[in-house]
């Protein structure tokens, strides 16, 4: 086929959602090569994209037109232009050609190049301030002779910053610049501040809290992990309507002092004394008594343009107020990450204290034991008589409940939920109310734990980027939210934290020092642990599969290789990895001793070698996709290790859910044994009456291992079981997020102590850990039946699987090509009717639950093998329905 720009237009087809490889909500993107993506909508059934053409201009309105390209691709499209440079603003548009000809040009996409740290002229500045003491404010005033036409503030900090210009917040980002591996990467924000500036005198003020940089973090109670000096770096560039440029840089001309925030800690909360508030964010404030700023010697190349959306307020929930023993008990109805926005009425000098908890003790008191040493308490001193709205800065808490004490009257309370502001990507609802609630709980656990880094939990003195939890949950995270930029940024840190030998950390950003991590009283090595370190290969591939862009694989390839090379070196002359003094193993297997969660029943060395196979195989796949050398070599390695694993642990695989799931899902079992292994797993599940017997590593895999090998009945039995341990048990116990332990609240209502045999008096119990929520990806693929088979959903299997206890489901996923949706129901006569929406560019293969007695029609005619874009009605009479003993509510 040849395409040319003169082919007649196709008015029934449009290019929509043109964007670059970066999240479309970033105000500026890292300088470099831009690649484009788009969706197409078309009213013409069966039409396809046969080619595309890109145009761009650099602000002068003169379009540069690329040659027409014959291709059906709509992801990772080279823009045909030079690399985008800092401050450059470039506009793109695209059109595609179908069988009917060219479409109109798309809406325009504007991208702007951010500044890199190397280009900053501003210096990092500070004033002397104490760790956990009053929070420093740095300010200065400047004059503009005319109104601004364009103004950009490039800003970051050692610490967490808030910036105000002329009395207004200049960003809705929270805890910016967010947490990254600060020793090598600190994000640099670009803010459009033109609306806040005016002719004449202007004031800019930047407040910097300890945040993750200097505050207490981790279970070893470390402070000043990255440094003992906190302060901002900011470069304001203004061009006014007369064309005059003004640049304001952080330097020694700034002055600093303190205001209302007397201390702020991520774990402990914030103390705000409003009697000490200062109006330093407006021009005319007298800062003569303040200190001159000092320059903090700092390598500014560490500042890198932000490529991930910031943490923001994402939802507010009204809280109920109840009097309880002289205090006011608050309930937001939902476990969240964030804080309480409190309206009170009182007198100047009144003290108000707000404490937080995820659950209540049976007597209604806050359960704070789970917080360990985190105080999670905000205190305020009122600044004036009358009503005041109170909110803490530079902290967040994991909570549903709170308790307010103090003299002031509580007028109202709102729970403010914060999260890295990723766009929700999907929806699911079914006839099974408890499953729907569980889905909702998983969505909340992701929201609550995606606060700048993928944390284990948002409440206790931890909130760390545990790599094992992240890899377990990655596929589900990618289905629920548009997590691509989030992972891309975190994976850079994962590589930063790899040691010289390629070993991957258990926590990213890594703040663990040798001796911090104790298990059974012994210091254990946190580098290169199986199932945790494998986040290096699993998360990039899950991200590629979900969004279809090879960027993440290309960027991470070196990290993936270093990890697999490391494993090879550990194996030495042997095929298998050797025994290690410590592995987390199938962490929190419900059959492990509660205080020794690493003592799972599946042998840790077996599990470790399964992950070795997986990482080698994923590396091989990445190399093949990228056309890089090594694919065959690593595929052979994976096969060799797989054979040795099976030989040594094949019998054990037959006995445990996790062992079987690993061998089935990681292709370790030889083909001839697959049926027998799957049957053994199914038999195990039947014998256990659907009891889940997997920890963090087996849980994401076990239902896939069943359903992909013909044991859907057992998969449903596990999914819908109500007794502990099970996913729905916690729903029945009122959970609004996913628990860390299957029995965090026991059937008799008592709360698990979480006692741990790690260090003296240690506990580990959280009501908001997403790892076990990893089952939700299976629900989308198998219950709803939206099962991507090619990266980015380019080819998707439509495979709804109704059950007696689940007769209706609907789901929608925003694929890179557009919305893919299904809404199916089984009628009393046993017919399944499914309404399907397939986006342009996606091929939907039908894998329907038909029996020998079924007739299958699509849009009233005989069913084709696959469908293209449009809406379709699929009817399967006498549908196959999974029998189930689970209740249908
Ligand atoms: C975290 C986990 C983590 C584990 C590994 C816990 O304290 O909360 O989710 O993966 O430690 O040891």
């Amino acid at each position: 086929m040849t395409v040319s720009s003169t082919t007649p237009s196709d008015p029934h087809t449009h290019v929509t959602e043109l964007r670059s490889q970066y999240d479309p909500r970033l105000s500026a993107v890292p300088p470099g090569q831009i690649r484009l993506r788009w969706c197409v909508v078309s009213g013409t059934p069966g039409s396809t994209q046969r080619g595309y053409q890109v145009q761009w201009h650099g602000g002068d309105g003169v379009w540069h037109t690329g040659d027409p390209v014959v291709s059906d691709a709509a992801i990772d499209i080279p823009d045909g232009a030079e690399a985008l440079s800092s401050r450059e603003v470039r506009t793109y548009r695209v059109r595609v050609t179908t069988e009917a000809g060219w479409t109109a040009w798309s809406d325009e996409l504007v991208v702007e190049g951010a500044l890199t740290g190397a280009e900053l002229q501003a210096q990092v500045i500070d004033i002397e301030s104490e760790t956990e003491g009053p929070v420093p404010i740095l300010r200065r005033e400047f004059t503009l002779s005319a109104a601004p036409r364009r103004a950009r503030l490039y800003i970051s900090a050692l610490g967490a910053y808030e910036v105000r210009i002329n009395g207004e917040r200049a960003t809705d980002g929270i805890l910016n610049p967010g947490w990254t591996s600060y020793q090598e990467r600190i994000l640099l924000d670009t803010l459009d501040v033109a609306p806040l500036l005016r002719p004449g005198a202007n004031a800019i003020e930047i407040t910097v809290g300890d945040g993750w940089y200097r505050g207490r973090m981790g279970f070893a109670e470390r402070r000043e992990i990255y440094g003992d000096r906190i302060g901002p770096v900011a470069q304001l560039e203004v061009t006014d309507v007369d064309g005059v440029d003004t640049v304001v840089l952080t330097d020694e001309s700034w002055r600093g002092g303190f205001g209302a925030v007397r201390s702020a800690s991520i774990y402990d909360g914030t103390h705000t004394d409003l009697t000490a508030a200062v109006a330093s964010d407006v021009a005319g404030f007298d800062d003569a008594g303040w200190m001159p700023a000092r320059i903090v010697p700092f390598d500014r190349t560490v500042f890198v343009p932000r490529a991930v959306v910031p943490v923001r307020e994402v939802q507010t929930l009204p809280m109920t107020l109840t009097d309880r023993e002289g205090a006011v008990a608050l309930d937001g109805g939902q476990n969240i990450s964030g804080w309480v926005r409190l309206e009170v009425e009182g007198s100047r000098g009144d003290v108000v204290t707000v404490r937080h908890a995820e659950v209540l003790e049976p007597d209604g008191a806050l359960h704070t034991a789970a917080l360990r040493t985190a105080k999670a308490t905000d205190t305020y001193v009122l600044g004036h008589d009358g009503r005041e709205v109170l909110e803490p800065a530079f902290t967040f808490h994991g909570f549903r409940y709170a308790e307010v004490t103090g003299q002031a009257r509580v007028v109202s309370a709102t729970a403010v939920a914060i999260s890295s502001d990723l766009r929700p990507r999907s929806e699911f609802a079914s006839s099974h109310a408890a499953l729907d609630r569980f889905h909702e709980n998983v969505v909340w656990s992701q929201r609550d734990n995606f606060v700048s880094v993928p944390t284990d939990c948002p409440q206790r003195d931890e909130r760390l980027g545990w790599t094992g939890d992240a890899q377990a949950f990655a596929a589900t995270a990618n289905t629920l939210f548009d997590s691509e930029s989030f992972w891309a940024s975190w994976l850079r840190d994962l590589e930063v934290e790899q040691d010289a030998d390629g070993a991957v950390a258990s926590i990213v950003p890594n703040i663990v020092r040798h001796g911090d991590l104790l298990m059974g009283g012994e210091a254990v090595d946190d580098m290169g642990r199986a199932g945790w370190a494998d986040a290096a290969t699993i998360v990039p591939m899950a991200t590629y599969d979900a969004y279809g862009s090879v960027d993440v694989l290309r960027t991470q390839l070196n990290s993936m290789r270093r990890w697999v090379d490391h494993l090879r070196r550990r194996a030495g002359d042997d095929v298998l990895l050797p025994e290690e003094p410590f592995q987390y193993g199938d962490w929190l297997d419900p059959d492990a001793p509660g205080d020794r969660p690493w003592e799972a029943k599946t042998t840790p060395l077996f599990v470790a070698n399964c992950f070795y196979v997986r990482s080698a195989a994923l590396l091989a796949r990445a190399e093949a996709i990228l056309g890089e050398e090594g694919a065959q070599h690593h595929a052979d390695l994976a096969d060799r290790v797989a054979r040795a694993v099976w030989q040594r642990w094949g019998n054990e695989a037959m006995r445990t859910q996790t062992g079987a799931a690993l061998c089935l899902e990681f292709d370790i079992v030889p083909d001839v044994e697959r049926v027998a292994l799957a049957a053994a797993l199914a038999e195990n599940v039947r014998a256990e009456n659907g009891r889940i017997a997997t920890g963090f590593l087996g849980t994401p895999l076990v239902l896939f291992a069943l359903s992909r090998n013909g044991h859907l009945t057992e998969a449903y039995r596990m999914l819908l079981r109500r007794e502990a341990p099970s996913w729905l048990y916690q729903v029945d116990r009122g959970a609004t997020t996913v628990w860390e332990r299957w029995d965090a609240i026991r059937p008799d209502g008592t709360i698990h102590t979480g006692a741990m045999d790690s260090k003296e008096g240690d506990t580990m119990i959280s009501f908001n850990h997403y790892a076990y929520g990893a089952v939700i990806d299976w629900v989308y693929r198998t219950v709803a039946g939206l099962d991507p088979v090619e990266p980015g959903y380019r080819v998707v299997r439509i495979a709804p699987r109704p059950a007696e206890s689940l007769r209706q489901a609907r789901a929608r996923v925003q694929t890179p090509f557009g919305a893919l949706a299904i809404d199916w129901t089984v009628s009393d006569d046993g017919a399944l009717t499914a309404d399907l929406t397939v986006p342009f560019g996606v091929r939907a293969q039908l894998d329907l639950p038909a029996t020998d007695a079924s007739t299958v029609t699509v849009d009233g005619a005989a069913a084709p093998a696959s469908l293209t874009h449009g809406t379709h009605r699929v009817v399967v009479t006498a549908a196959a329905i999974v029998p189930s003993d689970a209740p249908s509510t």
Side-chain angles (χ1 to χ4, degrees):
M1 184 195 85
T2 52
V3 289
S4 97
S5 51
T6 53
T7 317
S9 73
D10 174 353
H12 304 293
T13 304
H14 305 275
V15 178
T16 62
E17 293 178 55
L18 178 63
R19 52 169 282 197
S20 76
Q21 72 265 42
Y22 297 107
D23 192 295
R25 290 173 310 155
L26 290 169
S27 49
V29 304
Q33 214 59 58
I34 294 295
R35 285 174 297 284
L36 299 171
R37 308 177 185 185
W38 57 81
C39 297
V40 174
V41 288
S42 174
T44 311
S47 63
T48 59
Q49 175 187 311
R50 308 182 79 188
Y52 64 80
Q53 191 169 26
V54 176
Q55 275 192 334
W56 63 272
H57 73 74
D60 54 4
V62 181
W63 289 102
H64 302 257
T65 305
D67 290 335
V69 178
V70 180
S71 168
D72 63 357
I75 300 176
D76 292 337
I77 305 301
D79 67 349
E82 303 267 288
L84 184 75
S85 45
S86 302
R87 301 188 185 88
E88 182 181 352
V89 177
R90 201 182 281 169
T91 303
Y92 293 95
R93 60 186 192 178
V94 164
R95 61 178 185 166
V96 302
T97 179
T98 65
E99 292 74 4
W102 287 98
T103 64
W105 290 102
S106 67
D107 286 348
E108 294 174 0
L109 164 74
V110 179
V111 294
E112 177 177 329
L115 213 62
T116 61
E119 295 163 299
L120 278 174
Q121 294 157 261
Q123 310 262 21
V124 180
I125 57 169
D126 79 342
I127 54 169
E128 194 166 340
S129 70
E130 265 171 50
T131 303
E132 295 178 356
V135 166
I137 305 171
L138 287 122
R139 74 180 302 276
R140 91 156 254 188
E141 297 186 15
F142 57 94
T143 309
L144 295 179
S145 51
R149 184 159 51 89
R150 182 176 191 277
R152 293 288 181 272
L153 178 63
Y154 302 104
I155 178 167
S156 189
L158 313 183
Y161 77 82
E162 278 187 6
V163 53
R164 300 175 76 87
I165 294 179
N166 297 327
E168 303 277 342
R169 284 187 68 185
T171 169
D172 56 2
I174 292 165
L175 290 163
N176 274 356
W179 191 8
T180 45
S181 296
Y182 289 145
Q183 69 278 21
E184 278 196 36
R185 297 176 70 235
I186 303 181
L187 302 186
L188 181 62
D189 289 314
T190 304
L191 307 178
D192 175 3
V193 295
L196 304 178
L197 298 171
R198 53 187 177 226
N202 290 266
I204 176 167
E205 148 193 301
I206 308 169
T207 310
V208 180
D210 290 339
W212 296 282
Y213 189 89
R214 191 173 76 167
R216 173 164 77 97
M217 290 309 298
F219 23 73
E221 304 211 18
R222 290 183 193 289
R223 289 169 176 77
E224 302 176 357
I225 292 175
Y226 297 97
D228 59 358
R229 295 178 72 174
I230 53 171
V233 60
Q235 179 156 328
L236 173 63
E237 299 181 352
V238 187
T239 305
D240 70 20
V241 287
D242 300 331
V244 177
D245 292 330
T246 304
V247 178
V248 178
L249 308 171
T250 41
D251 58 20
E252 283 155 316
S253 70
W254 289 53
R255 297 184 75 78
F258 303 98
V261 184
R262 308 314 293 171
S263 69
S265 148
I266 287 184
Y267 290 162
D268 295 330
T270 296
H271 175 52
T272 312
D273 180 353
L274 293 159
T275 65
V278 284
S280 46
D281 58 353
V282 289
F285 172 76
D286 180 7
D287 59 16
W290 280 22
M291 291 166 264
R294 310 176 301 188
I295 305 289
V296 181
F298 194 81
D299 173 7
R300 282 168 290 176
T301 62
V302 167
F303 294 107
V304 295
R306 169 183 291 286
V308 54
V309 287
V311 176
R312 294 199 176 98
E313 180 179 318
V314 291
Q315 210 161 316
T316 54
L317 303 152
M319 302 186 86
T320 59
L321 276 56
T322 321
D323 287 332
R324 183 177 184 279
E325 297 175 3
V328 181
L330 308 179
D331 179 1
Q334 173 61 50
N335 203 13
I336 63 161
S337 279
W339 55 79
V340 179
R341 182 176 295 150
L342 200 63
E343 192 182 2
V344 297
E345 186 163 355
S347 313
R348 180 180 163 89
D350 281 356
V351 175
V352 176
T353 301
V354 190
R355 298 188 307 126
H356 305 78
E358 293 179 285
V359 294
L360 299 179
E361 302 287 357
D363 68 356
L366 296 182
H367 172 80
T368 54
L371 303 176
R372 300 198 300 224
T373 67
K375 294 194 187 80
T377 301
D378 295 320
T379 52
Y380 305 88
V381 180
L382 301 193
H384 58 76
D385 296 350
R387 288 202 176 185
E388 228 160 339
V389 175
L390 307 175
E391 262 180 292
F394 306 116
T395 192
F396 65 94
H397 314 294
F399 72 104
R400 166 179 167 172
Y401 302 96
E403 190 184 85
V404 186
T405 48
Q407 304 95 320
R409 183 175 73 86
V410 179
V411 179
S412 68
T414 305
V416 178
I418 65 163
S419 183
S420 286
D421 190 15
L422 310 179
R423 286 183 302 182
R425 193 188 194 205
S426 60
E427 282 165 26
F428 172 83
S430 73
S431 56
H432 202 292
L435 180 63
D436 291 1
R437 181 64 234 197
F438 186 73
H439 170 268
E440 205 48 30
N441 292 0
V442 180
V443 170
W444 272 106
S445 277
Q446 178 168 359
R447 213 177 255 144
D448 298 344
N449 281 298
F450 274 38
V451 177
S452 190
V453 299
T455 62
D456 53 338
C457 53
Q459 72 300 86
R460 66 180 177 227
D461 53 356
E462 198 153 346
R463 313 187 205 180
L464 303 173
W466 283 95
T467 45
D469 309 40
Q471 71 78 10
F473 191 64
T476 293
N478 287 336
T479 302
L480 293 179
F481 288 86
D482 182 354
S483 310
E484 190 179 11
S485 68
F486 184 85
W487 290 129
S489 183
W490 182 74
L491 286 167
R492 300 315 304 136
D493 295 325
L494 180 142
E495 180 165 9
V496 166
E497 306 290 5
Q498 267 175 282
D499 69 16
D501 196 29
V504 177
S506 297
I507 291 170
V508 171
N510 190 9
I511 56 166
V512 177
R513 308 275 191 277
H514 184 71
D516 285 4
L517 206 59
L518 299 174
M519 299 286 171
E522 301 283 321
V524 299
D525 184 0
D526 69 301
M527 298 302 291
R529 301 302 88 197
W532 270 248
D534 300 283
T537 54
I538 293 172
V539 177
M541 194 56 85
T543 305
Y544 168 63
D545 279 335
Y547 306 106
S549 166
V550 296
D551 277 353
V552 66
L553 297 182
R554 200 180 301 289
T555 313
Q556 292 307 122
L557 185 65
N558 190 40
S559 157
M560 296 168 88
R561 281 181 167 157
R562 287 176 58 211
W563 169 234
V564 173
D565 287 349
H566 169 90
L567 288 169
R568 279 236 4 210
R569 281 194 294 277
R570 259 177 34 204
D573 292 337
D574 290 335
V575 176
L576 292 172
L577 295 172
E579 192 77 59
E580 296 272 338
F582 178 77
Q583 292 283 9
Y584 303 110
D586 191 23
W587 183 257
L588 282 172
D589 171 347
D591 298 316
D595 62 346
R596 298 171 71 85
W598 57 92
E599 288 186 354
K601 51 188 177 308
T602 314
T603 305
L605 188 59
F606 167 29
V607 173
N609 276 286
C610 291
F611 275 90
Y612 180 18
V613 174
R614 183 60 167 173
S615 275
L618 291 177
L619 172 59
R621 190 180 156 212
E623 287 168 329
I625 291 163
L626 295 171
E628 292 275 343
E629 273 177 27
Q632 193 54 51
H633 170 76
H634 289 118
D636 293 344
L637 172 68
D639 284 348
R640 213 160 48 241
V641 183
R643 279 195 300 276
V645 168
W646 186 256
Q647 206 172 18
R648 178 145 169 210
W649 289 289
N651 284 337
E652 182 176 338
M654 294 282 180
R655 291 194 305 270
T656 60
Q657 289 182 10
T658 291
L662 287 168
C663 288
L664 289 164
E665 281 300 293
F666 292 175
D667 276 330
I668 290 168
V669 59
D671 288 347
V672 289
E673 310 254 24
R674 179 169 277 274
V675 170
L677 179 60
L681 173 61
E683 178 49 39
N684 176 312
V685 173
R686 282 193 300 274
E688 297 262 21
N689 194 21
R691 188 182 80 102
I692 185 123
T694 51
F696 277 23
L697 300 185
T699 300
L701 309 174
V702 65
L703 296 195
F704 283 115
L706 288 164
S707 65
R708 285 178 177 152
N709 294 287
H711 299 288
L712 200 57
T713 310
E714 288 76 8
Y716 263 103
R717 194 161 177 173
M718 286 184 95
L719 178 73
L720 300 180
R721 176 182 152 106
R722 306 304 274 261
E723 303 82 26
S726 71
W727 286 285
L728 300 189
Y729 164 75
Q730 39 187 286
V731 171
D732 291 337
R733 302 261 16 145
T736 61
T737 43
V738 184
W739 295 347
E740 178 175 27
R741 293 177 186 262
W742 292 114
D743 55 350
I745 298 181
R746 301 214 184 75
D748 66 4
T750 54
I751 300 172
H752 199 300
T753 63
M756 285 283 284
D757 179 12
S758 44
K759 61 180 179 191
E760 188 67 31
D762 201 18
T763 60
M764 191 188 79
I765 185 82
S766 132
F767 301 87
N768 204 352
H769 252 67
Y770 48 55
Y772 287 145
V775 68
I776 286 299
D777 191 44
W778 185 88
V779 170
Y780 275 88
R781 288 172 184 252
T782 318
V783 176
L786 301 180
D787 187 17
V789 291
E790 279 190 20
Y793 292 75
R794 191 163 191 77
V795 178
V796 63
R797 225 174 104 244
I798 303 298
R801 292 293 179 262
E804 272 167 19
S805 47
L806 207 151
R807 299 181 73 88
Q808 191 271 321
R810 66 189 154 80
R812 188 188 58 81
V813 176
Q814 194 63 31
T815 77
F817 301 94
L820 169 72
I822 190 167
D823 185 347
W824 62 254
T825 190
V826 178
S827 57
D828 291 344
D829 64 4
L832 172 113
T833 304
D835 288 321
L836 260 187
T837 306
V838 180
F840 185 98
V842 168
R843 192 155 54 81
Q845 301 171 340
L846 298 179
D847 177 357
L848 298 166
T851 60
D852 291 346
S854 297
T855 3
V856 180
T857 55
V858 174
D859 301 326
S866 70
L867 300 172
T868 58
H869 64 94
T871 54
H872 307 280
R873 169 155 290 193
V874 179
V875 178
V876 182
T877 63
I881 300 189
V882 177
S884 167
D885 54 0
S888 56
T889 49

